């Protein structure tokens, strides 16, 4: 509600302009109300010294669509790397990408794991931009293997996969060629087969996790394409009803963390993007950082009671949370592009 109009403190001579002011304020309040009803992201309320994030024109991120992608994946059941259920999820993902009109490629590989050789497949969809230089938006789509309980990974694997699919749809549907080329990457084999991610190593000394992203970066190196990738954005566990991301201050490129968190504050999401450090450990952004590629992980691992628990189920996920993440990502992209252009090689 607007506060008491200021005309009470004005002289009678100025009352006409005061009432005009009041009408204008009323009109603004009404416009804001209508905008809120349409669920458009509130614009920059407290961005401080940061420039106002560009509005996200055209097609909005649909939290409900992202949520339906999570539901579909959960319906397939547990989806560890190499399973028939993950193959179904893969068919679902590629079917969606095709329906958006995006070209995609798959890369099958067979790494050694502590439970033997497993078949894994990375998926990459491409949205060509004015520049052939690339911004990657990524997720893992496998779920962690548990023998002692059923683990469907609604949040861990499902939520970020749903969000990246919806981001791919929206960016393609907007119909404008972006400044940079976008790769939407779905990594296989992020999860360790041993209970903890750092519990065991493979006979060849390789870690028992991040199979897909390590393979991906290895291929970039072989094709001499690491320099082509200018930034990598990783989403992981982004659908909790109780959404709260801390900042990855150990590994992620801090300019990307700061830019995304400032954008979130500008949109009014201070409660969801909080100012504390998140202890991330190893995740799919790590191989990229080791190869000199700027990368950021948006992940809720602390304050997440369902992490690697049987309770990581659909009822803990909300379309509203997915939409917040989608809106922050979409509002951050133009600012990331600008920053990259200003430091272009
Ligand atoms: Zn996990």
């Amino acid at each position: 509600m607007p506060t008491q109009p200021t005309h009470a403190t004005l002289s009678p001579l100025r009352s006409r302009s005061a009432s005009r002011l009041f009408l204008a304020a009323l009109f603004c309040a009404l416009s804001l109300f209508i905008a809120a009803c349409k669920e458009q992201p509130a614009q920059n309320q407290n961005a401080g010294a940061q420039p106002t994030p560009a509005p996200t024109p055209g097609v909005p991120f649909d939290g409900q669509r992202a949520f339906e992608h999570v539901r579909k994946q959960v319906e397939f059941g547990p989806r560890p790397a190499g399973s028939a259920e993950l193959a179904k999820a893969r068919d679902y993902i590629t079917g969606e990408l095709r329906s958006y009109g995006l070209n995609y490629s798959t890369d099958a590989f067979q790494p050694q794991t502590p439970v033997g050789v497993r078949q894994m497949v990375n998926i990459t969809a491409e949205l060509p931009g004015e520049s052939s230089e690339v911004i990657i938006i990524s997720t893992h789509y496998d779920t962690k293997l548990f023998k002692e309980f059923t683990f469907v990974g609604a949040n861990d694997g499902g939520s970020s996969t749903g969000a990246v699919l919806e981001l791919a749809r929206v960016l393609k549907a907007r119909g404008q060629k972006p400044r940079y080329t976008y790769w939407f990457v779905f990594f296989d084999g992020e999860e360790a087969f041993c209970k903890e991610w750092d519990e065991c190593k493979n006979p060849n000394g390789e870690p028992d996790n991040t199979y897909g992203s390590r393979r991906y970066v290895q291929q970039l190196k072989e094709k001499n394409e690491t320099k082509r990738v200018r930034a990598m954005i990783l989403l992981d566990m982004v659908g909790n009803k109780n959404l709260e991301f801390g900042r990855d201050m150990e590994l992620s490129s801090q300019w990307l963390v700061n830019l995304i968190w400032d954008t979130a504050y500008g949109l009014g999401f201070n409660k969801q993007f909080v100012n504390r450090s998140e202890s991330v450990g190893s995740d799919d952004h790590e191989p990229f950082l080791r190869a000199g590629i700027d990368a950021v992980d948006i992940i809720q691992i602390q304050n997440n009671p369902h992490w690697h628990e049987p309770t990581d189920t659909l009822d803990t996920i909300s379309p509203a949370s997915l939409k917040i993440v989608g809106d922050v990502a979409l509002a951050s992209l133009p600012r990331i592009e600008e920053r990259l252009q200003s430091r272009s090689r």
Side-chain angles (χ1 to χ4, degrees):
M1 289 293 289
T3 51
Q4 198 61 28
T6 52
H7 68 256
T9 60
L10 296 175
S11 71
L13 280 175
R14 297 170 69 189
S15 64
R16 273 181 64 145
S17 65
S19 59
R20 269 205 301 271
L21 256 177
F22 177 63
L23 279 174
L26 201 65
F27 178 72
C28 284
L30 199 63
S31 310
L32 277 173
F33 177 67
I34 290 166
C37 290
K38 284 182 180 165
E39 278 192 67
Q40 286 171 350
Q43 289 300 308
N44 197 28
Q45 284 149 4
N46 52 354
Q50 291 300 318
T52 306
T56 51
V59 186
F61 186 99
D62 185 337
Q64 195 61 45
R65 281 188 86 125
F67 183 79
E68 290 308 316
H69 297 320
V70 185
R71 183 200 305 281
K72 273 278 168 8
Q73 293 171 83
V74 166
E75 280 172 6
F76 295 134
R79 307 173 300 284
S83 66
E85 291 74 17
L86 192 63
K88 286 184 199 163
R90 184 159 52 246
D91 288 346
Y92 176 76
I93 292 166
T94 54
E96 286 296 307
L97 295 170
R98 206 178 304 124
S99 76
Y100 309 154
L102 286 166
N103 290 328
Y104 66 88
S105 61
T106 55
D107 169 44
F109 56 107
Q110 295 82 25
Q112 179 75 44
T113 81
V115 295
V117 171
R118 286 286 171 114
Q119 165 87 5
M120 299 187 192
V121 184
N122 288 334
I123 307 164
T124 303
E126 180 174 272
L127 177 62
E130 284 163 17
S131 164
S132 64
E133 291 189 324
V134 172
I135 296 174
I136 286 178
I137 301 177
S138 57
T139 173
H140 73 89
Y141 73 101
D142 62 309
T143 59
K144 186 161 174 60
L145 173 70
F146 285 101
K147 291 183 184 125
E148 56 276 36
F149 56 80
T150 302
F151 181 79
V152 294
N155 200 30
D156 194 358
S159 63
S160 49
T161 300
V164 173
L165 275 174
E166 177 60 2
L167 285 168
R169 182 190 72 87
V170 166
L171 288 169
K172 171 68 178 170
R174 286 183 171 179
Q176 307 151 298
K177 209 172 203 194
R179 269 195 238 179
Y180 286 86
T181 292
Y182 280 86
W183 287 349
F184 305 97
V185 182
F186 303 81
F187 297 114
D188 203 340
E190 187 276 330
E191 300 286 2
F193 289 91
C194 294
K195 193 144 191 279
E196 304 297 335
W197 66 268
D198 54 356
E199 187 179 316
C200 31
K201 281 197 157 71
N202 284 300
N204 53 11
E206 298 285 327
D208 170 36
N209 74 336
T210 60
Y211 291 93
S213 51
R214 285 187 289 113
R215 155 87 177 182
Y216 206 91
V217 169
Q218 186 57 39
Q219 288 193 311
L220 287 176
K221 285 180 181 165
E222 284 165 14
K223 288 184 273 184
N224 209 15
E225 281 196 329
T226 51
K227 286 218 160 45
R228 193 180 157 196
V229 179
R230 299 294 307 278
M232 186 268 198
I233 301 162
L234 176 63
L235 306 183
D236 196 356
M237 297 190 272
V238 295
N240 253 334
K241 277 182 179 163
N242 181 20
L243 197 66
E244 190 197 293
F245 302 114
R247 299 165 178 249
D248 172 19
M249 291 170 165
E250 295 160 30
L251 285 174
S252 291
S253 306
Q254 291 305 295
W255 74 268
L256 279 168
V257 176
N258 292 336
L259 185 153
I260 291 167
W261 261 246
D262 286 346
T263 304
Y265 297 152
L267 294 173
F269 299 130
N270 308 48
K271 285 194 176 133
Q272 292 82 11
F273 287 74
V274 299
N275 207 359
R276 63 162 170 79
S277 80
E278 189 89 39
S279 186
V280 173
S282 178
D283 205 349
D284 285 324
H285 61 327
E286 188 178 355
F288 287 82
L289 287 157
R290 291 198 188 287
I293 297 167
D294 287 347
V296 59
D297 194 3
I298 302 174
I299 182 170
Q300 179 171 359
I301 198 159
Q302 288 160 34
N303 197 10
N304 178 2
H306 311 295
W307 179 54
H308 291 181
E309 295 291 339
T311 54
D312 183 353
T313 47
L314 196 63
D315 58 307
T316 69
I317 305 298
S318 85
S321 294
L322 292 164
K323 178 155 176 62
I324 288 170
V325 173
D327 283 346
V328 169
L330 287 173
S332 297
L333 293 178
R335 300 177 71 189
I336 292 172
E337 291 182 344
E338 268 167 42
R339 188 75 72 88
L340 290 175
Q341 284 214 318
S342 70
R343 359 146 79 189
S344 62
R345 299 182 250 257

